[in-house]
Amino acid sequence: MRLTDCHNYQDFRKLAKKRLPSPIFHYIDGAADDERTYNRNTAAFDDVDLVPNVLAGVENVDLSTTIFGKKIDMPLFCAPTALQRLFHHDGERAVARAAEKYGTMFGVSSLGTVSVEEINEITNTPTMFQFYFHKDRGLNDNLLERAKAAKFDVLALTVDTITGGNRERDLRTGFTIPPKLTPASMLSFVTHPMWGINYLTKPKFRLPHLEDYVSAGTNVNTSIGSYFSNMLDQSMNWNDAENLCAQWDGHFALKGVMSVEDAKRAVDIGCTGIMVSNHGGRQLDGGRAPFDQLAEIVDAVGDKIDVICEGGIQRGTHVLKALSLGAKACSGGRLYLYALAAAGQAGVELALGQYRAELERDMKLMGCTSVDQLTPSNLRFR
Ligand SMILES: Cc1cc2nc3c(=O)[nH]c(=O)nc-3n(C[C@H](O)[C@H](O)[C@H](O)COP(=O)(O)O)c2cc1C
């Protein structure tokens, strides 16, 4: 199987599985507990059908939308994800450049493997910095100052990771950062020699936002679950979020809001957006899917802040359904991570290009020429 065989999400997933040692693949592909929420995130879109209108004159379609005060060329962007250097040796550089090519936003994780300074140098595309609230206040201040100095457009405080999710695939494979060989994973690393050669010969795996403050994850192997449980501040509360929002003094989002009550409080503390998300099902299994919860949240706060719907998106039609319910845009992780693992920048460009083409085609088939024409009247729930 090659890149040219990849026509959709599942094809990229298959190629990523072929290219990556299994602990790394399962880190991307897995989720919490029984993965019920993970599966529901995508299945939720099937409970709703699109109702198209015809004869609408659709030769020119404008896919652009404005989020956090920035116009992006399509209503889908790359959510911040950790450790991209493990998936492809170019890591975040590849994703940033591909996002720029398609004029969309790109998120960098606190656990990113390319620095915010370098991202600022190599791209002009709108950027989001994902903030993990650590116990170490010096580290928190440093993260914020660096993201600000590197001219990031949005700060997104992740609020659904107050402790590590129970990712049983990672327990089985022994996945750690940096990766280490275990008896269970040895065969998989040996049978993926290209990954191993690139890992050893290309620029070293680093966590440039954290390495001056913590050894876990850079010099000391740690599981991702224990990183969250030990390093992040479980006392984080609304006052902390409000202070961070004021300190950032720019576009600010809470990432991982699921209740109407929290969405309203996000407005009260000064957020300009929220990401309705359950972290791709990687945290609370049994939690509701973002798409299932979207209408309630849009009803409550959709006229006050930007509501982003995130998780489970595998098709352009999933995005159109979320926009019809009032999301300003959607974002996704695995939808570009499998492509990154499959072929670096070329892979992410191909995937984003396919989403763009799918969105344009589906808009035409829906009889819409701009995303604000999508409304709940385009949908029927089964
Ligand atoms: C491999 C991987 C790493 C992730 N790392 C982070 C992270 O560092 N910070 C964060 O806020 N969310 C992280 N996420 C969650 C994504 O930002 C996003 O919420 C999720 O991927 C959406 O679900 P989807 O993958 O089904 O699109 C990660 C997700 C994946 C798959």
Side-chain angles (χ1 to χ4, degrees):
M1 190 182 189
R2 297 146 177 252
L3 189 59
T4 46
D5 299 320
C6 291
H7 303 289
N8 62 32
Y9 181 100
Q10 293 300 340
D11 292 340
F12 282 110
R13 180 179 176 277
K14 269 187 222 143
L15 188 52
K17 190 169 188 184
K18 239 180 106 181
R19 294 273 155 91
L20 293 174
S22 75
I24 315 246
F25 173 76
H26 287 296
Y27 167 65
I28 302 176
D29 196 59
D33 296 2
D34 300 311
E35 305 190 349
R36 296 268 200 276
T37 291
Y38 175 29
N39 290 318
R40 177 66 197 170
N41 282 356
T42 302
F45 292 104
D46 293 336
D47 287 352
V48 182
D49 295 309
L50 290 162
V51 183
N53 289 315
V54 295
L55 300 175
V58 291
E59 68 276 41
N60 296 313
V61 171
D62 177 6
L63 287 174
S64 69
T65 183
T66 299
I67 49 168
F68 304 108
K70 286 265 163 190
K71 189 171 171 213
I72 52 175
D73 293 345
M74 65 179 193
L76 176 64
F77 69 91
C78 301
T81 58
L83 313 181
Q84 292 179 18
R85 163 72 177 83
L86 295 184
F87 316 145
H88 186 275
H89 51 266
D90 287 336
E92 288 81 353
R93 292 174 196 96
V95 184
R97 290 187 177 119
E100 177 159 26
K101 177 165 175 182
Y102 286 95
T104 196
M105 188 173 275
F106 159 64
V108 177
S109 167
S110 289
L111 273 71
T113 55
V114 174
S115 71
V116 286
E117 294 80 13
E118 186 178 341
I119 295 296
N120 181 37
E121 264 169 41
I122 65 170
T123 176
N124 285 320
T125 215
T127 41
M128 164 182 282
F129 183 72
Q130 178 272 322
F131 194 94
Y132 276 133
F133 192 76
H134 289 77
K135 287 179 189 159
D136 182 339
R137 296 298 196 263
L139 167 56
N140 287 343
D141 289 345
N142 184 263
L143 285 174
L144 194 127
E145 287 314 317
R146 285 178 70 177
K148 198 183 275 188
K151 303 194 178 71
F152 272 57
D153 298 296
V154 188
L155 194 79
L157 171 66
T158 298
V159 288
D160 57 15
T161 338
I162 206 75
T163 185
N166 178 40
R167 306 186 191 161
E168 293 177 2
R169 293 204 223 178
D170 292 350
L171 300 178
R172 275 186 213 107
T173 63
F175 177 77
T176 60
I177 43 172
K180 79 171 180 250
L181 287 179
T182 62
S185 64
M186 185 86 76
L187 182 65
S188 174
F189 282 102
V190 170
T191 52
H192 293 84
M194 270 321 287
W195 183 91
I197 290 166
N198 283 326
Y199 186 70
L200 294 172
T201 59
K202 301 284 196 257
K204 192 173 176 289
F205 173 85
R206 292 174 52 212
L207 295 174
H209 310 121
L210 308 178
E211 63 196 4
D212 292 342
Y213 289 82
V214 292
S215 48
T218 43
N219 301 319
V220 177
N221 300 92
T222 182
S223 77
I224 198 86
S226 59
Y227 186 90
F228 290 146
S229 302
N230 298 325
M231 308 304 285
L232 304 189
D233 188 348
Q234 298 195 359
S235 75
M236 177 172 71
N237 59 30
W238 284 98
N239 283 339
D240 297 315
E242 185 167 10
N243 290 339
L244 195 67
C245 177
Q247 204 183 342
W248 174 252
D249 196 22
H251 283 283
F252 187 87
L254 295 183
K255 177 173 182 291
V257 167
M258 286 299 297
S259 78
V260 168
E261 196 189 343
D262 285 352
K264 288 182 179 161
R265 270 186 103 163
V267 177
D268 294 341
I269 66 162
C271 292
T272 51
I274 49 172
M275 298 169 81
V276 180
S277 169
N278 54 29
H279 214 102
R282 298 160 76 81
Q283 289 295 108
L284 177 68
D285 195 33
R288 204 161 191 226
F291 183 68
D292 286 328
Q293 188 66 351
L294 184 62
E296 282 181 39
I297 291 190
V298 168
D299 279 353
V301 300
D303 56 341
K304 300 185 186 78
I305 53 175
D306 293 340
V307 176
I308 311 296
C309 181
E310 172 186 272
I313 288 163
Q314 300 186 7
R315 284 287 180 192
T317 48
H318 297 164
V319 177
L320 296 196
K321 288 176 180 179
L323 297 184
S324 297
L325 284 186
K328 287 294 283 293
C330 293
S331 54
R334 297 176 183 91
L335 62 85
Y336 73 86
L337 287 178
Y338 295 132
L340 173 67
Q345 185 180 339
V348 183
E349 283 185 6
L350 184 63
L352 291 180
Q354 286 173 359
Y355 282 107
R356 209 207 127 82
E358 214 169 293
L359 282 163
E360 190 172 327
R361 182 169 58 244
D362 296 336
M363 285 282 284
K364 289 186 177 183
L365 293 170
M366 282 296 294
C368 294
T369 52
S370 68
V371 294
D372 56 14
Q373 293 168 3
L374 294 162
T375 69
S377 68
N378 300 135
L379 298 178
R380 287 293 178 281
F381 284 81
R382 290 188 184 187

